[in-house]
Every structure is written in C-alpha cells, then in structure tokens.
Amino acid sequence: MSHHIGQRFFSWVQEGSSLETISSGTITEYGPARSGKTSILQVLFKNLPSKQTFYLEPTMRVTKHPFDTLIPLEIWDCPGNITVDTLGASLSEISSIVFVIDIRDLYQQPVIKLVEFIVAACQVNPNINLEVFVHKAEKLQEDDKIENFRQIHERVMDRLADESPEYEQVPLNFHLTSVYDYSLQEAFSRVIHKLIDSLPYLENLLNIFCANTSSPKAFLFDTTSKLYVATDASPVDQATHNLCCDYLQMLNSFGPLYKSNTPPDLLSSRLAPSTATASSSPSLPPRAETPDPSRLSVKAPFYPSASASLSPSQPVTLTYHLVTPHLALVASLPTPVFEMRRGLVEWNVVWFREGVREIWQVEKERSEGELA
C-alpha cells in the first residue's frame, strides 16, 4: 500500500504538477524591531536555548536561512524597518508571509504596518499564505494573554475592513506563540504544511500506519527543528504533541553520546544478501587484516529506532524510527499493544519508510528540476 501511494504521487507529478511551487518556497518574517523574529529562527533551526534569545542583536539587513527537510525552503529574517519597497524582491516571489508582533504591543503602528503588507501582498500575489504570530506569550498571565490576543486579532480585522470590504475575506491565520514552549513548533509546522504538495500522500501513509498498529497519533518530524511535516487525520492534541517533542529533544541531546556495538562490516554483511556457497574443502582460518584508518574515523550513525514507555498510570509507549536523513516517525502506542505486537509495528514501519522515501526522492528530483 505504501509503495502504491508513492507511485501515485510520482504519477501526479509527471502528469500535471508545476515545478515552480518548489522553487519559490520562500517564507519571509516581518514585524517591528524586538518582536522576536530572529529568536524564532535561532530557536527552531540553530538549536539556540530559549533563555539565550535575550542576548541576540537586532537584525540590520535581510538574512536568508535555508531549510531543507522534505522540500527546500528559504526563510528570510527581515529587519524591523523593512518596507515593501525596500525588501529587494517582489512579493510575487514569496510563498508565505509570517508577521511577528509582540503580544504586549497594542499600539496602532504595528497593526498599520501589518495591514500595509497584507494589502500589498494580496494585490501582487492573491495566493500568498498570510500568518500572524502573536509572540512572546510567556510574558503575560493566561487571562491577559487571551485578552491581548483577541484585541490584536480584532484590530487587524477592523483595519482590513476599513481598507476595503474585500479584504475581510482574506485567509489570515493567527497563532499564539512562545519560544519557551512548543506552541512555536506547532505554529510553524502549520505554515510549512501549506507549501508541501505531497502532504495528502504523507497523511495517507500515516493514516494507514495508525490503522494497522492501533496508534492513536503519529507524526513525521523534522529531527532538528522538531517541526512536524505531516500527521495523521486525527486532531493534534497539545499534550501528545508536547510529549513527542520532548522525546525528540531528549534523543537529540543524548543520542550522539552513544554508538552501535555492531561493527560496520558485520552490519553490512547482515544487510547484504549471502554469497556463501557449499564447499567440501576445509576453510582456512581468518587472516588478520590491518585496520583501515579511514574506517576507524567514520562516525557511527545515530540509532535508527528507539522506544520509551511512560509510567504505569499512563500505559503509553513512544516510538522513534528514522525514515530519511532528516525525517523521523514518532508515534504514540498503547504499551500492551506495543509489547504484544512489536513485530507488527516494525513491519509497518518498514513499509511506511519505503513510501515516504519514494515521495522524498520525487520531491528531491523536482527541486533539482530533473522531472519534466
């Protein structure tokens, strides 16, 4: 089934999809100075600890950050004084705009600037994705946080209605974010979902995996940024998402401290088909070989799979399986199901990995312009 889904995506690419969707995968970050634009990118893609974002210098010029996980993207970090005229690129080349605003900034100036960008973007590129990150949510108490979020949302929509009634229908998405929790990862994941043409096929693969393994929730994560590229059809529960992100963070922190006990030669001999033939002649004793320095310097790969069971009061097991060099399947499974049907889970992971790798290879060829 996974193989057929990958083949269907390949056929869809050959029949009618446009290569321009991939080549123009550009996300721009706008917003007032000190609103948290740079800290968002540093925490997501540079693994900067959240507590150190306070010491970041203000961005003085447009900085471009490449991000290649399933599709190649480029994220632009723009200074606070940037305008549509001084951007240095046409908004028609932009796939998504993320406007970052401090949740405590209830003044009119940031709202006016946001509306100006929305109006200019809709005139040039009606298909552009518009997102608003109401950031630094950790600065306020829960009640004040919700109230400020509501006020910013209302002021933006009222300002758009004053510009023209047609702008009231603009699909503008608001997200409450913070670098101190995983709300930022969830919000940015939803941003990149709109740029992935193969998203329905990945979701289909995850639905099949969940149905076959009795998994209530599964994510396809980018291992470095902890953004989930796809998930199954069931609603995303914040507690489950946070738990999976914590597990992924733990593996990223402690995984490099360990290495496999299996020698590379033995591992390759296990994976390769056997070429031994029956022989009546006695075998010679193995000859000692001089170690190859190049082999000794090769770093052992990270464990391709792992699992962890939670407390007995919550019989849930989290599983991790590397799928591509940058993507991993993280799933939540009932512990009794995992213990009794672990072989079935591993079997479904094999087919899931095959389907995702086919889609990943097609996306890679699309980005390189190899498919007509």
Side-chain angles (χ1 to χ4, degrees), residues 254-266:
F254 293 99
L257 301 178
Y258 299 89
K259 64 179 181 178
S260 174
N261 291 327
T262 305
D265 291 343
L266 181 59

Side-chain angles (χ1 to χ4, degrees), residues 3 9 30 68 81 114 117 151 163 189 200 203-204 225 232 235 240 245 257 290 309 339 368:
H3 176 74
F9 176 67
Y30 299 105
D68 188 0
N81 60 354
L114 167 58
F117 270 102
Q151 288 189 31
E163 289 288 333
S189 296
E203 291 178 345
N204 199 358
S225 63
D232 62 282
T240 303
C245 287
L257 301 178
T290 304
S309 298
E339 291 176 348
E368 296 172 354

Side-chain angles (χ1 to χ4, degrees), residues 21 29 57 69 81 119 122 138 161 163 166 198-199 226 231 240-241 252 254 260 273-274 311 350-351 361:
T21 315
E29 272 195 335
E57 295 292 332
T69 175
N81 60 354
V119 172
C122 290
E138 77 282 352
E163 289 288 333
E166 65 182 21
S198 57
L199 182 63
K226 297 186 289 295
T231 185
T240 303
H241 174 258
N252 288 341
F254 293 99
S260 174
S274 175
S311 61
V350 170
W351 289 106
Q361 188 61 39

Side-chain angles (χ1 to χ4, degrees), residues 17 26 36 42 49 58 67 115 122-123 177 202 217 226 250 272 301:
S17 70
T26 303
Q42 292 295 323
F67 174 55
V115 172
C122 290
Q123 291 175 349
T177 60
L202 296 171
K217 196 63 188 172
K226 297 186 289 295
M250 185 271 293

